[in-house]
Amino acid sequence: MFSGKSIARLEDTRFLTGRGRYVSDMLPPDALHAVVLRSPHAHAVLHEVNTAAARAMPGVVSVFTAAHLAADDLAPLPCTAVVASVAPMIVPPRPVLAMDRVRHLGEAVALIIATNASAARDAAEAIEVSYDPLPAVIDGASALGAEAPQIWPQAPGNEVFRFLKGDRAATDAAFAQADHVVSLELFNNRVHAVPIEPRAALARFDDERFKLIFTGMGVHGIRRQLATVFRLPEDAFHLVCPDVGGGFGAKNFLFPEYVLALWAARRLGRAIAWQAEPSEEFAAAVHGRDLRAKARLALAGDGRFLGLDISSIADMGAYLSAVGPHCPTNAFSTAMGGVYAIPAMHLEVRGAFTNSLPVDAYRGAGKPEANYIIERLVDAAARQLGRDAAALRAMNMLPDALHRTAMGMAVDGGRFAANLAALDKVSDAAGFAARRAEAAQRSMLLGRGVACFLETARGAPGEWASVSVDASGQARAAIGTQSNGQGHETSYAQIVADRLGLTPAEVQVQQADTQLLPNGNGHGGARSLHLGGGALVLALDALMEKARLIAAHLLQADPAALAFADGRFTLPDRERFITLAEVARAAEDSTSVPEGITPGLTASGHNTSDLVTFPNGSQVAEIEIDPETGHARLTRYVAVDDYGRLINPRLTQGQVQGGLVQGIGQAMLEEIIYDRESGQLVTGSLMDYALPRADDVPAIEVFLEGTQTKSNPLGVKGSGQAGAIAAPQTVMNAIADALALRGATAPDMPATPEKIWRALQNAPAPERI
């Protein structure tokens, strides 16, 4: 058996030897190169785009504006996540090139096509654009204010939607009977995913059919959106993703540049290549998070949680990205309350248009924000009530058996209290007082933060897979999910190998090609093994049943009498057998298969499940703060998490550790900042946007203690997003604990040295006796 073993990643051989295939490795020599001219203003009337000088420059093939696209009647980029709203949600048109107004810095204004990228960039600088700048508003709370400039005439007060969920009356009653109410105002800072590979695309138009090779996280969903934009059937598009260098949610979507590349390929009859510059990724891709919340937790006198009430403002940016409205509303609500049994909850979310880049899914997509709020509230409650934070959590934990939350989620169990108790031991909670005392001797403040998390992992429901075995006995598995570095080629191969009696090296995994499968939902929402693995199991079931029938036909035996092990079908006498490779060879001949069986040893599976898995865990961080400078150093991080059955524990460890580092980065370092007056992007490159480095993170200890779920045949729970969901509140609770030693209150994320220093300076002076 290979499942459950930490075998090395099969794909790493080609990555480490320079044989990975990315979009930029696939450009034909005769490809033309595209560059996009972008708005330098956050909000302005667009009067004229003069391209005459640019067109005359060496190497320039053509320059296009919105006027050129208008003749082809392209539809706006779609928002696929329309959420329920008190008043109908406002979805303004999002053109691929700005028409009469620009609404955020970096919005696409013109497309330059040249024989090389340098010539196209030079030509972009020669385009003269006439703008009339307008007042801009760049944060959601201000945008909803009475004096804010209007971004869209159809959205009075810049409100996108007003989303309500939960039981208002029951929640009000819970607060009315509460002995204690804890309130916080919290900000989940805007961040950028910063995948190592920027977005890129290679577009063709041949034989009346489009082909797009791009850096994405799935192909079928993007194909559906392209069909909408071009007003063509889906089969007019062939989409492929080669190797992709990270995504974290930011590559899930259809971007204007993909439409422009395809349109130009059709217009010019040439292959069109586009590669984003790093600065374009910050200004013109997509951002994540950006949620301001007022939250209240109601508690009984004995510490039991009675109710949770959250009112938030979600900054959606200037346009609505594909699933942006889903993240702070429906997705958030599924994880609201975290791992706690809270009988009454209510959520109100107001979406706001601002003059900023659209906000959409980023690793966790609403679940990090929900978990952050409840965990910060619980920690504040423990401090306010003088209770032990871990003990307060334990007494309010969800039961390990099936439980339906106040938001309607049927949580199918976990090791909630057990993992919290285990965390206490493996993190040496008993020795913390001594560690704090030692830090104090060095004039340092040492804080310990405990936090839990509950993810609701699924993403889009349903998935597709196919499996085939060739005459050599090698297997090929096609899957509708898409790896962006998670190791899918290894984990899927382990599953197939176990079932077919092969080694993982004898299994080829194919993905991200609309010609491989009729459909697929890509990756996102920690769904791949849950739903993709489930589809693969169905395909394997069908393939083995077909192989059994063919084997029985060849052996002239009853199919029920055959046993399969070690790659061959054997009869009870153990003298007669046939290998899977021999069955595959015979299956190629229509005369060698039973009547009614199609030739070829291949089968497919469609997993129609819409069930959710519930990864969860308990984590602790210890952080040392220098009160003279505000510098915070993360000295220890320990996680005890439940991801169900583990196909490859090493890959799970890697996924969790990577997510934790991203969550630590959000808590301590990362923030997209716009200038409040001009709307200019202050943190527009890695010179200003701080990512965590190796010396910012200690050796992260991850203990995997899980319970198998029944929501899929593999018993797995998603692990791809969990770290980013868990780390922010764990880190911030540790910072809050350290600052409490001086009577100071934790700042909003990111807790930079300046913010921590100011919090200490603003702390009330200790009373003198």
Side-chain angles (χ1 to χ4, degrees):
M1 291 288 289
F2 293 96
S3 294
K5 295 181 179 179
S6 293
I7 69 171
R9 297 197 338 166
L10 301 174
E11 53 266 64
D12 283 354
T13 298
R14 75 171 188 275
F15 291 149
L16 294 173
T17 55
R19 291 184 288 119
R21 292 276 288 169
Y22 300 88
V23 173
S24 58
D25 298 318
M26 304 173 73
L27 307 186
D30 63 343
L32 299 176
H33 292 260
V35 165
V36 176
L37 177 68
R38 303 187 183 280
S39 168
H41 300 285
H43 198 194
V45 175
L46 177 59
H47 290 295
E48 182 184 4
V49 183
N50 188 335
T51 64
R55 290 174 183 273
M57 293 184 69
V60 174
V61 175
S62 195
V63 181
F64 299 111
T65 66
H68 296 96
L69 274 68
D72 286 337
D73 191 29
L74 296 183
L77 294 184
C79 173
T80 58
V82 178
V83 302
S85 178
V86 174
M89 183 175 120
I90 305 300
V91 184
R94 186 184 182 187
V96 293
L97 287 177
M99 300 173 71
D100 56 359
R101 184 172 293 206
V102 292
R103 291 178 171 84
H104 69 84
L105 177 82
E107 185 168 357
V109 172
L111 176 69
I112 303 93
I113 305 294
T115 54
N116 61 77
S118 295
R121 284 192 288 269
D122 290 343
E125 295 183 5
I127 297 175
E128 298 178 359
V129 185
S130 175
Y131 295 102
D132 184 8
L134 298 170
V137 58
I138 56 88
D139 79 270
S142 298
L144 296 176
E147 303 302 319
Q150 278 291 122
I151 298 172
W152 292 100
Q154 60 267 55
N158 296 318
E159 186 172 88
V160 185
F161 55 77
R162 181 168 171 251
F163 175 88
L164 302 175
K165 190 170 183 179
D167 192 326
R168 176 79 273 170
T171 304
D172 288 344
F175 279 88
Q177 70 181 54
D179 293 294
H180 307 282
V181 173
V182 178
S183 301
L184 287 177
E185 294 188 15
L186 297 167
F187 177 49
N188 216 284
N189 42 318
R190 180 182 282 233
V191 292
H192 175 39
V194 200
I196 193 169
E197 179 197 22
R199 292 170 299 144
L202 174 62
R204 293 180 178 275
F205 185 74
D206 297 309
D207 299 324
E208 299 301 312
R209 194 169 188 233
F210 290 102
K211 182 173 183 179
L212 179 67
I213 303 172
F214 69 109
T215 55
M217 296 164 72
V219 290
H220 292 86
I222 300 299
R223 182 177 68 171
R224 285 191 291 273
Q225 294 177 52
L226 283 170
T228 298
V229 172
F230 280 90
R231 307 182 194 275
L232 292 171
E234 288 183 33
D235 61 10
F237 300 87
H238 176 202
L239 269 62
V240 175
C241 291
D243 291 323
V244 176
F248 315 114
K251 293 179 179 174
N252 279 23
F253 319 113
L254 176 62
F255 291 99
E257 295 87 355
Y258 300 163
V259 175
L260 290 171
L262 288 167
W263 180 87
R266 182 174 66 179
R267 174 90 172 215
L268 300 174
R270 298 278 296 277
I272 305 293
W274 173 76
Q275 174 81 54
E277 296 290 328
S279 60
E280 289 182 286
E281 294 298 82
F282 279 92
V286 69
H287 293 156
R289 310 291 193 251
D290 204 334
L291 186 84
R292 296 185 181 275
K294 295 181 179 179
R296 301 185 300 151
L297 179 65
L299 299 92
D302 61 359
R304 288 180 299 108
F305 300 161
L306 302 177
L308 175 62
D309 186 25
I310 299 175
S311 176
S312 64
I313 295 173
D315 189 334
M316 293 284 94
Y319 298 94
L320 298 183
S321 184
V323 297
H326 173 73
C327 300
T329 55
N330 289 311
F332 180 107
S333 72
T334 64
M336 186 170 166
V339 298
Y340 307 108
I342 305 176
M345 293 192 284
H346 188 265
L347 172 66
E348 177 183 19
V349 189
R350 295 179 70 195
F353 286 117
T354 63
N355 294 114
S356 64
L357 189 64
V359 172
D360 212 313
Y362 168 64
R363 204 166 189 170
K367 290 73 172 286
E369 297 91 318
N371 278 273
Y372 182 73
I373 289 171
I374 184 60
E375 289 297 328
R376 292 296 310 278
L377 278 171
V378 173
D379 220 56
R383 190 168 292 110
Q384 184 174 313
L385 275 60
R387 304 285 293 263
D388 177 78
L392 184 62
R393 286 178 166 85
M395 72 177 295
N396 285 286
M397 283 277 182
L398 290 168
D400 290 345
L402 179 67
H403 174 84
R404 188 170 294 278
T405 73
M407 285 297 188
M409 299 303 296
V411 182
D412 66 351
R415 286 173 45 89
F416 304 112
N419 280 353
L420 182 61
L423 178 70
D424 206 50
K425 295 179 181 179
V426 298
S427 67
D428 187 23
F432 176 70
R435 293 193 293 276
R436 173 172 271 181
E438 186 278 329
Q441 290 180 350
R442 295 182 285 107
S443 301
M444 297 293 172
L445 309 175
L446 185 65
R448 178 180 171 88
V450 175
C452 302
F453 79 93
L454 177 76
E455 185 184 0
T456 51
R458 186 197 68 189
E463 196 49 79
W464 290 256
S466 68
V467 183
S468 62
V469 179
D470 63 22
S472 70
Q474 303 269 320
R476 179 176 297 172
I479 191 78
T481 63
Q482 155 71 347
S483 175
N484 280 198
Q486 298 93 330
H488 290 176
E489 292 178 44
T490 302
S491 52
Y492 285 140
Q494 288 176 265
I495 295 167
V496 174
D498 282 345
R499 190 65 184 277
L500 301 184
L502 304 173
T503 66
E506 294 175 293
V507 180
Q508 180 187 4
V509 176
Q510 299 177 310
Q511 57 183 355
D513 186 333
T514 54
Q515 292 189 165
L516 288 175
L517 293 165
N519 212 334
N521 284 320
H523 105 246
R527 65 186 302 278
S528 292
L529 275 187
H530 166 39
L531 293 173
L536 196 56
V537 168
L538 292 174
L540 287 165
D541 287 345
L543 180 124
M544 291 305 291
E545 179 58 25
K546 183 176 184 178
R548 180 181 298 277
L549 294 174
I550 297 173
H553 178 73
L554 296 171
L555 293 172
Q556 297 183 345
D558 180 359
L562 295 177
F564 183 81
D566 301 323
R568 62 187 189 178
F569 290 97
T570 307
L571 285 166
D573 60 16
R574 297 184 177 275
E575 294 183 1
R576 289 191 296 159
F577 64 86
I578 186 169
T579 66
L580 190 63
E582 291 171 328
V583 172
R585 284 195 291 273
E588 294 179 355
D589 182 358
S590 61
T591 64
S592 298
V593 299
E595 185 178 350
I597 300 294
T598 57
L601 191 51
T602 182
S604 60
H606 176 200
N607 182 4
T608 60
S609 173
D610 63 354
L611 297 177
V612 174
T613 69
F614 297 90
N616 63 88
S618 300
Q619 305 188 355
V620 66
E622 293 186 9
I623 289 182
E624 187 177 272
I625 291 175
D626 182 346
E628 295 299 315
T629 64
H631 179 263
R633 182 172 68 92
L634 183 61
T635 62
R636 193 173 189 196
Y637 200 103
V638 184
V640 182
D641 293 352
D642 173 3
Y643 301 108
R645 179 185 174 217
L646 305 176
I647 301 299
N648 189 313
R650 183 187 298 169
L651 295 189
T652 305
Q653 288 265 358
Q655 283 294 291
V656 175
Q657 289 173 338
L660 288 171
V661 172
Q662 284 190 294
I664 291 165
Q666 183 183 3
M668 302 183 73
L669 297 164
E670 300 180 44
E671 186 173 21
I672 288 290
I673 300 173
Y674 287 95
D675 180 82
R676 296 185 64 84
E677 298 299 322
S678 67
Q680 293 298 306
L681 185 57
V682 177
T683 52
S685 76
L686 291 177
M687 294 292 290
D688 304 295
Y689 187 91
L691 289 176
R693 304 176 304 182
D695 60 354
D696 292 316
V697 183
I700 295 174
E701 304 165 65
V702 179
F703 297 87
L704 302 174
E705 300 288 346
T707 57
Q708 293 193 29
T709 178
K710 295 180 181 179
S711 63
N712 61 71
L714 295 171
V716 298
K717 302 175 184 178
S719 62
Q721 303 185 139
I725 294 172
Q729 59 264 26
T730 309
V731 168
M732 290 304 297
N733 284 347
I735 290 172
D737 186 54
L739 293 179
L741 295 171
R742 295 286 182 89
T745 302
D748 276 323
M749 297 189 293
T752 60
E754 179 187 354
K755 287 183 180 180
I756 291 173
W757 183 84
R758 291 189 182 280
L760 288 164
Q761 300 309 303
N762 294 331
E767 294 184 6
R768 297 180 181 273
I769 299 177

